[in-house]
Amino acid sequence: MNGATDEVYWPPLPAHAGRTGDAFLAEDEAARRVLTGALGWIEAHLDWFAPGRWEEFLPRRPFRPGPLLELLGLVRVLDRSGIMPATAPLPSRALDLAEETVHEPEFARGLRRGDAFFPYHLNLTALLELLGRPHPVLRAACQALLTADAGGHCRPYKPVLSRLELRYFVDRGGFTAPDPLPGLGPLFREGIAARGADVLQLTGDETYALTHVLLYATDFGHRRRLPCRGEAVARVRETVRVLLGVHLARGSLDLLAELLLCDAALDTGQRGGPGSRRGPAFTGLPPVAGRGPGPGPAPAPVARTVAGLWRRAGWNALAAAQRPDGAVPGPVHRPEILAALAGDKAAAYLFGTCYHTTLASALAAAARKPAEAPGPSGPTEPTGFPLPRAHPEEIRHWARGAAEAARTAPPAARAELAACLGPLLALAVRAHDPAVLTDVLRAAERLGHRDDPLARSAAALLAAWGPETGAGVLGGAHPLSTR
C-alpha cells in the first residue's frame, strides 16, 4: 500500500464529542448556562490563580501570573459588557490577587529584564490600570522599556503575531508605541487571517494563532469590524465557520470556545431566526485567483438558519460537556486521572486542566450579542448533531447518505448538508485519509458543490497523494469525473 495511505491518522475522540445534551437548547439559553456555570467555578477557585498557590502542586509557569492575566482579560470583558462590574466580589478578588503579584519584587525584576515576557508584564500592568488599580511606577518602567525597544520586540524580523499582540497591548493600555512598531491594521494585513489561511491544512497551533489575531484585531468583539474589507472579510468569516465545524466534530472544546468567541467578535448583528446571523451555507471559501466561483449561496433565510444551527450546536456542545461544578474540560483533562486523586491534588489537577477552557468559554459567552428576538428560555426539541463526529466510518456513512439524499432533498435540507462539506473535507485532508476524502468529494458533487474552491483544492490534494490513494479508483484527471 502507498506510504501516504499508511499515514492515515484520526486522533482519538474525547467522550463528549458529538454530545449536545438531552435536548437542543436555544443558543442564548445554552450560552447563558455555560457563562453562569463557568463564573461560579472561577469564583470558587480564585485562589488557584495566584502563582504561589499554583506552584504548590503544578509546574512553575514561564510567566508566573499567566492565569491571572487571562482572568483579568475576562474581568475587563465582563465589566465592559455590563454583566459584572469590576467592583463585584469575583473581579475585586481577582484584582486583589493581581495587585499582590505585581507588588512582589520578582515581578518588577522580570519586567526590567525586558525579555520574551515583557509584553505580558506590560499587559498585566495596563489591565490593572484599566480596571481601576493603577501602578504609576510600573507603568513608567513599561513605557521606558517600550521606548528603548527592550528585547527587540518591535523589530520587523520578529513574528507578525508577536508584534500584533504587543501592539494590541500597547494601544489598549494607552502607551506610546515606538516608531518601529507598525499599527494594528498593517500588522493584521501581514498576518494569518488576511493572507488566505488554508483551512484544509491549518494545524492546531495555526488555528490558535488565527483566533488570537482576530480577537486582538476586534478587541474581543468590542470593534465589530476587521481592518480589511470586502472579500477578505468574507473569507475570514467563512474560515471561522469551517473551523468551528472541524472542532465541533472533534470535540475540541478549547478551540471551539475560542472560535465561538471569534464568531461573536465578527458578528454584524444581522440575525434571521432564533440565534442566527449572517453567512452563506457553503460556497467554499471566496474564489481564488484563476478559479471561477462555486454555486451561489443558499437563499438568505436558509443560509441564516444554517449559520445559526452551527453556533447553537457549538454552545450546546459546551453546555453538555461542562462539568456539574461549572468547569469546562480542557484538551489535556482526563476524568480517570482526576478520579484517582483526592484533596488538594485533585483540586490542582482539575484547575490546571480546566481553567483556560473555562475562561475561554466564559469570554465567548460574555462577548456575544443575545438574539434581538429572544428564543425560548427552556429546552427545545432535540434535532440531533448537525454533522458527524471526526471518525472515519461516521463521516463515510454521512457522505453516502448525503449523496443519496441530494437527489430529492428540498433546498433547506440540501443547504444543511452542504454546510458540513467544508469541515468534513478539512478533517479528511488532515487525517490524510483518501477513502474518506473520496466519499466526501462524491457527496460534494451530488450536492452541486464539485467546483467550489475547497472541493477543488481537496480533489487536487487527493490526486497528488498518488493513484493508490483513491484518485485512480475514481478515474480521470479529476477525482470526481465519474457521474
Side-chain angles (χ1 to χ4, degrees):
M1 182 168 284
N2 184 284
T5 305
D6 294 337
E7 297 171 5
V8 171
Y9 175 69
W10 292 88
L13 293 174
H16 57 254
R19 287 173 45 205
T20 54
D22 296 331
F24 207 51
L25 300 175
E27 182 186 338
D28 285 349
E29 176 64 15
R32 186 161 49 246
R33 289 193 185 186
V34 170
L35 179 61
T36 301
L39 292 181
W41 184 84
I42 291 167
E43 186 163 16
H45 293 78
L46 278 173
D47 287 348
W48 285 97
F49 284 92
R53 180 61 166 149
W54 172 286
E55 290 165 8
E56 289 178 21
F57 295 93
L58 297 165
R60 180 185 173 102
R61 298 172 64 94
F63 179 65
R64 294 182 69 229
L68 261 179
L69 182 58
E70 294 179 60
L71 177 60
L72 291 198
L74 171 63
V75 166
R76 176 174 176 264
V77 171
L78 291 171
D79 181 61
R80 185 175 66 190
S81 64
I83 293 171
M84 185 180 290
T87 53
L90 187 161
S92 292
R93 178 59 181 148
L95 289 165
D96 289 344
L97 290 172
E99 283 206 294
E100 292 169 12
T101 299
V102 302
H103 282 146
E104 294 175 2
E106 183 175 348
F107 183 84
R109 286 197 300 269
L111 167 62
R112 288 185 169 85
R113 278 196 296 268
D115 59 14
F117 303 106
F118 167 66
Y120 306 116
H121 286 90
L122 179 146
N123 191 29
L124 183 54
T125 302
L127 278 170
L128 276 168
E129 181 171 318
L130 287 169
L131 292 165
R133 307 281 185 99
H135 289 267
V137 173
L138 288 176
R139 180 182 178 86
C142 287
Q143 183 62 69
L145 289 161
L146 180 65
T147 301
D149 195 14
H153 297 286
C154 304
R155 299 296 171 179
Y157 59 81
K158 292 291 185 178
V160 173
L161 176 58
S162 299
R163 289 184 290 143
L164 186 145
E165 180 179 64
L166 176 59
R167 183 69 200 218
Y168 170 65
F169 296 160
V170 165
D171 290 352
R172 185 173 67 176
F175 293 96
T176 300
D179 290 339
L181 185 63
L184 204 61
L187 287 168
F188 177 87
R189 289 186 284 273
E190 286 184 39
I192 186 171
R195 290 297 183 103
D198 182 357
V199 74
L200 292 177
Q201 301 183 87
L202 279 181
T203 66
D205 286 346
E206 289 168 340
T207 303
Y208 277 113
L210 175 70
T211 63
H212 291 185
V213 165
L214 295 177
L215 296 176
Y216 296 148
T218 62
D219 190 13
F220 290 81
H222 191 56
R223 296 187 296 269
R224 306 266 171 171
R225 180 173 296 180
L226 292 175
C228 57
R229 295 180 180 178
E231 185 177 292
V233 176
R235 180 181 291 276
V236 170
R237 285 180 175 151
E238 179 67 0
T239 296
V240 169
R241 191 198 66 78
V242 172
L243 290 171
L244 189 61
V246 167
H247 294 286
L248 188 60
R250 282 182 169 172
S252 306
L253 301 179
D254 204 61
L255 275 169
L256 179 60
E258 293 206 12
L259 288 160
L260 284 168
L261 178 50
C262 288
D263 182 82
L266 297 173
D267 178 17
T268 60
Q270 298 171 358
R271 292 174 175 250
S276 58
R277 295 191 281 272
R278 45 84 192 118
F282 175 78
T283 59
L285 293 172
V288 294
R291 295 179 181 174
V302 173
R304 287 195 295 268
T305 298
V306 170
L309 177 63
W310 284 83
R311 284 187 303 278
R312 188 176 170 191
W315 282 111
N316 273 269
L318 288 177
Q322 192 170 35
R323 288 167 43 91
D325 60 7
V328 182
V332 297
H333 181 76
R334 297 293 179 268
E336 66 275 13
I337 295 178
L338 178 61
L341 302 173
D344 279 351
K345 287 186 177 180
Y349 178 81
L350 178 65
F351 185 81
T353 60
C354 294
Y355 91 88
H356 175 76
T357 305
T358 305
L359 284 176
S361 300
L363 267 171
R368 65 183 295 278
K369 289 182 178 179
E372 293 174 6
S377 59
T380 59
E381 73 285 354
T383 63
F385 205 57
L387 78 168
R389 299 186 308 161
H391 185 281
E393 292 309 314
E394 293 186 26
I395 295 176
R396 295 191 77 181
H397 177 77
W398 176 92
R400 292 162 184 163
E404 182 64 27
R407 299 180 181 182
T408 58
R414 288 172 64 91
E416 289 193 20
L417 292 171
C420 298
L421 291 172
L424 298 183
L425 289 169
L427 287 166
V429 167
R430 294 178 196 193
H432 216 284
D433 193 323
V436 174
L437 184 53
T438 295
D439 281 352
V440 177
L441 285 169
R442 281 198 178 110
E445 180 178 25
R446 300 295 187 269
L447 289 164
H449 290 274
R450 168 183 173 170
D451 291 324
D452 288 344
L454 277 189
R456 289 172 62 88
S457 294
L461 285 168
L462 179 62
W465 289 347
E468 294 180 26
T469 64
V473 174
L474 288 173
H478 194 297
L480 296 180
S481 61
T482 59
R483 288 180 179 262

